[in-house]
Amino acid sequence: MQSPPSLPGTLQLHTAAGRACLRIAGDWTLAHYATLRDAVARMRPQLGADSTVELEQLGALDTAGVGLLVELLGAQRIAEVAQWAPQLPPERLALLRTVATALARPDVAQPRAGYEFGDLLAHIGRTMQNLWQQQRELLGFIGLTLQTLLTNLARPRRWRLTALVAHIEQTGLNAIPIVALLTFLVGAVVAFLGATVLADFGASIYTVTLVGFAFLREFGVLLAAILLAGRSASAFAAQIGSMKANEEIDAIRTLGLSPVELLVLPRVLAMLITLPILTFIGMLSGILGGGVVCVLALDISPTLFMTILQRDIDVSHFLVGIGKAPVFAFLIAVIGCLEGFKVSGSAQSVGEHTTSSVVQSIFMVILIDAIAALFFMEMGW
């Protein structure tokens, strides 16, 4: 036997007990969508808010038909169908409520125009809260890194010497040309400025002391650290972030291995080795750049230049500068690795956290250097 033909749904508006009553009958399915849509458009202006609805003669029903009923009666009324049409089968009531809830469009408050003072304070508050959260995460990650480092010091078999040597080459050997060139040029600029200012006082000879003092205490380590923050911190964040996006970090944990031990420690140790070396190279290059200017522009012989450095510059200035290098190296490496672990999985997230690693590293280097300068000045070192 063939199934009876599907009859399109109908809408009939009549009066019962002095009130308008809408009788919905027939099949409300996708096959009759065009016909039903026209019927709904004609009936909607005639239907009042207090009209009753009868669903006893409702035939087949699918999501397309429910959508038209929601358009006719409203999402709120369809969502409450169990209250005014309890005779419907449970599965049909569930379908009506589900589609009505999905199609409901809550009123969204329009954003206020302009930028008020309260919004400014709220923005400042959110920024400070995010900054505090970043510092807490950084302190926690530093503690985890130190714990893993101390644990592995007593177990030489777990040292990853191959990865360590590879990172030393990437962060140190490949960075020597740019560090040497930049510090040489900055040393020449400092010597030019010093000679220009000191010449008015007849003290051009002190340009030698200025160059030596500046590069041994500050510029050598600061320029090398900033360059490595741009080169290595961004590379660490991008490398680990890409591994996080490709779920390689999860694979490492699944194998029972520690991502901190495999990925963080070789990078941290490589930076602890390379930044002091680059700092020493930066000091020599900066002093050499200043020496070239003194020889060419101030008629100071190389022998006199070296004699003044040896006589007036104490070795404590070199120790102050080189002593800050391991601290900067540790912070740069840890910040770069931490931002890599924060990547959520998209290419945009990798870019954002790579940028954040460079900004945070440079900020922390300059901040710690300023605090150290004030401390050493008060201590008379």
Side-chain angles (χ1 to χ4, degrees), residues 62-77:
D62 60 10
T63 54
V66 178
L68 291 174
L69 292 177
V70 169
E71 183 179 349
L72 176 64
L73 303 176
Q76 182 65 28
R77 194 168 186 177

Side-chain angles (χ1 to χ4, degrees), residues 36-74:
L36 294 173
R37 182 183 56 193
D38 296 337
V40 168
R42 291 192 302 267
M43 182 59 66
R44 191 190 312 164
Q46 307 175 29
L47 192 63
D50 58 343
S51 302
T52 59
V53 181
E54 297 177 358
L55 299 177
E56 287 79 2
Q57 301 180 16
L58 182 63
L61 183 68
D62 60 10
T63 54
V66 178
L68 291 174
L69 292 177
V70 169
E71 183 179 349
L72 176 64
L73 303 176

